[in-house]
Amino acid sequence: MATWFTEKQTEDFGITAKVNKTLHKEKTDYQELEMLETKEWGRMLVLDDMVMTTERDEFVYHEMLAHVPLFTHPSPKTVLVVGGGDGGVIREVLKHPSVEQAVLVEIDGKVVEYSKYYLPTIAGALDDERVRVEVTDGFMHIAESERLYDVILVDSTEPVGPAVNLFSKGFYEGIAKALKEDGIFVAQTDNPWFKTDLIRRVFGDVKETFPITKLYTANIPTYPSGLWTFTMGSKLYDPLQIDAARHHEIDTQYYTKELHNASFVLPKFVKDLTE
C-alpha cells in the first residue's frame, strides 16, 4: 500500500503527495523535522507537518524572496537571511556580485545540518566563504543589530512555534533599525486565500514602519493554495522605479526582469488586503 504525506492547510483542506520513503525524522529542540523522498516533488523538507521546500519547485520561492529586493537595491553588499536554514535563499543571494557578506541566522541548527546532507543542490552555497551561519534566535539578532545590513530577508515558517515573533510589528521596527539608511527588507507573508487577516495586519504594520511598502506574489505549487505573497519594506528605493540597467545577468528558472514588475500587479482581492 502506498504511503502519502498530507499537509492539512486548513481544518477542511489539505494537499497530499506520494512518499517513496522517509529519509529522516527527528524531534528537534524546536520542531518536528522530516526529510521525505516523494514521487512528484523529489526530496521534501517538512517541519511540524508543513512543507518547507521541495527539490522540484524550491527555485520559485528562493528566487522571488531574494532577487526582487536585491535588484531593487543599487549595491547590496551585506545581506541578512533570518530563517532559511535550507540555504536556498543564500544560494540566490550569492548570485549578486556586489554581495560581500551573507549572514544566515537560523534558530534550529538541525535544519541546516540535514539540509546540507539531504538537499545539497539547495544548501550547497552555505559553505561559501562569503557566508556566515549563526545558529541563534533571529528575533534577538535583529534586536541587537543597528545599521548593519543593506538587505534583510525573512525566510520564516508560518507564524506558529518559534516563528511567531517574526510576524510582529516590533520585529519590523527592529529590522528598520538593523538596516542601513537606504535598506530594504522582504518577508514571506503566506497566502491570500487562507491567511487574509495575517497579510492585512503585516502589510499595515510594515506600512507604518517603512515609507515604501509593496506586496508581490509568486506561484509555488506545494505551498497552501499555490499563490504566495511577499511583503517589502524599503527606506528609499521603489521596486517599480529601478533602472533597467541594474538587471545584470544571473541564472534563474522563475525570476526575470519582466516578471520583477509584473509580480506587483495584484488580483483585486489581494490588492484589497493592502488598502
Side-chain angles (χ1 to χ4, degrees):
M1 181 177 291
T3 300
W4 294 77
F5 165 76
T6 298
E7 178 180 340
K8 193 176 181 182
Q9 298 181 346
T10 75
E11 288 300 313
D12 305 301
F13 177 78
I15 60 167
T16 189
K18 188 176 182 180
V19 177
N20 293 334
K21 60 181 176 179
T22 298
L23 301 170
H24 186 81
K25 185 173 183 178
E26 179 177 335
K27 177 69 174 178
T28 75
D29 291 339
Y30 298 96
Q31 55 209 338
E32 187 77 35
L33 182 154
E34 291 180 274
M35 285 286 185
L36 306 177
E37 181 76 51
T38 71
K39 181 76 173 178
E40 189 70 35
W41 302 101
R43 290 183 175 181
M44 174 186 286
L45 169 62
V46 176
L47 298 177
D48 287 338
D49 295 323
M50 295 179 289
V51 177
M52 294 295 110
T53 196
T54 80
E55 288 181 309
R56 183 176 173 190
D57 71 346
E58 55 87 9
F59 62 88
V60 182
Y61 176 84
H62 294 137
E63 289 180 13
M64 291 301 284
L65 183 57
H67 298 316
V68 175
L70 287 171
F71 276 119
T72 298
H73 196 289
S75 183
K77 293 182 173 63
T78 56
V79 179
L80 170 68
V81 179
V82 178
D86 58 62
V89 175
I90 288 287
R91 180 195 64 201
E92 298 303 314
V93 166
L94 295 180
K95 292 179 180 180
H96 293 259
S98 66
V99 173
E100 298 172 355
Q101 184 178 56
V103 179
L104 175 73
V105 176
E106 164 64 55
I107 197 170
D108 193 342
K110 293 293 185 179
V111 175
V112 177
E113 177 184 346
Y114 292 119
S115 294
K116 282 185 173 182
Y117 186 81
Y118 291 107
L119 301 170
T121 60
I122 302 176
L126 291 176
D127 292 325
D128 188 282
E129 61 182 8
R130 290 173 291 170
V131 177
R132 185 174 86 242
V133 178
E134 296 186 11
V135 179
T136 188
D137 186 338
F139 186 91
M140 293 307 300
H141 181 91
I142 289 291
E144 295 165 359
S145 301
E146 186 168 353
R147 297 206 172 194
L148 290 181
Y149 300 105
D150 296 305
V151 176
I152 294 176
L153 307 173
V154 183
D155 180 7
S156 64
T157 62
E158 294 190 47
V160 295
V164 168
N165 288 335
L166 305 187
F167 290 83
S168 66
K169 187 177 182 183
F171 183 57
Y172 306 134
E173 291 170 342
I175 285 175
K177 179 175 66 72
L179 285 168
K180 296 177 184 177
E181 60 277 359
D182 62 347
I184 299 172
F185 107 97
V186 170
Q188 74 83 9
T189 42
D190 222 292
N191 78 91
W193 288 102
F194 308 139
K195 295 295 180 68
T196 56
D197 291 343
L198 173 69
I199 294 170
R200 187 181 290 111
R201 175 176 59 79
V202 169
F203 190 88
D205 288 345
V206 174
K207 192 173 183 179
E208 291 180 4
T209 309
F210 288 85
I212 299 171
T213 304
K214 302 285 186 181
L215 191 79
Y216 64 95
T217 65
N219 173 252
I220 307 169
T222 56
Y223 284 6
S225 87
L227 180 62
W228 211 248
T229 72
F230 304 84
T231 300
M232 173 186 288
S234 176
K235 292 185 175 183
L236 185 60
Y237 306 113
D238 187 331
L240 298 177
Q241 301 293 328
I242 67 173
D243 185 348
R246 198 178 297 171
H247 275 97
H248 53 81
E249 290 298 321
I250 57 172
D251 179 26
T252 60
Q253 299 180 71
Y254 189 90
Y255 177 90
T256 65
K257 63 180 180 180
E258 295 82 10
L259 187 66
H260 180 104
N261 280 14
S263 65
F264 290 92
V265 179
L266 305 175
K268 186 176 186 303
F269 83 102
V270 181
K271 188 173 185 291
D272 287 346
L273 300 177
T274 69
E275 296 177 344

